[in-house]
């Protein structure tokens, strides 16, 4: 982080990494939000501004923000920008889907270990 604490600070995506740039940014924002470095309600930089700072295409930042919003990590509020959501809000939707998956796995007679194995395989499929 910069001395003023502004995001992204000194962090930059690793262009030599096999991990896509948008994914590196997405993971970094999640890490900072989960650790409290990016507080609930913290406003993220506009897409074009952050793209310029990180020296990436605006689409890269837009995709990271879009996926973070779908996961409930951030919320986009039009002209008010993109802000970090509370962890409870972020996990609510995921917990609902997890409960549905658990119920479906039980109904199919899968053990907990089998359900986790299937989830891990699906998680790693991307």
């Amino acid at each position: 982080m910069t001395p003023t604490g502004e995001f992204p600070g000194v962090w930059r995506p690793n262009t030599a990494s096999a991990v896509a740039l948008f994914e590196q940014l997405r993971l970094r924002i999640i890490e900072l939000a989960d650790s409290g470095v990016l507080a609930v309600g913290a406003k993220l930089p506009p897409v074009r501004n952050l793209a310029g700072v990180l020296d990436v295409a605006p689409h890269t930042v837009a995709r990271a923000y879009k996926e973070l919003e779908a996961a409930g990590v951030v919320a986009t509020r039009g002209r008010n920008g993109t802000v970090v959501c509370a962890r409870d809000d972020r996990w609510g939707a995921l917990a609902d889907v997890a409960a549905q998956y658990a119920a479906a796995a039980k109904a199919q007679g899968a053990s907990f270990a089998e359900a986790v194995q299937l989830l891990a395989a699906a998680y790693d499929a991307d």
Side-chain angles (χ1 to χ4, degrees):
M1 301 299 286
T2 62
T4 59
E6 293 180 11
F7 176 77
V10 297
W11 179 86
R12 297 294 180 265
N14 179 354
T15 56
S17 173
V19 177
L21 298 176
F22 82 90
E23 180 68 5
Q24 292 179 47
L25 177 58
R26 185 187 74 81
L27 292 171
R28 179 65 176 165
I29 292 171
I30 290 171
E31 175 187 322
L32 294 174
D34 284 349
S35 69
V37 172
L38 282 176
V40 172
K43 189 173 177 181
L44 297 178
V47 168
R48 287 190 179 138
N49 292 5
L50 185 55
V53 168
L54 297 178
D55 196 26
V56 299
H59 175 74
T60 299
V61 176
R63 182 166 177 192
Y65 280 13
K66 181 180 177 183
E67 292 198 10
L68 288 164
E69 186 168 23
V73 176
V74 300
T76 301
R77 300 194 172 127
R79 291 181 178 235
N80 293 325
T82 302
V83 298
V84 176
C85 294
R87 183 176 178 100
D88 291 344
D89 294 341
R90 289 185 273 155
W91 289 92
L94 187 56
D96 290 344
V97 174
Q100 292 172 14
Y101 173 71
K106 286 179 188 176
Q108 293 294 321
S111 69
F112 177 77
E114 291 168 331
V116 169
Q117 184 178 16
L118 289 169
L119 178 61
Y123 195 86
D124 291 338
D126 291 339

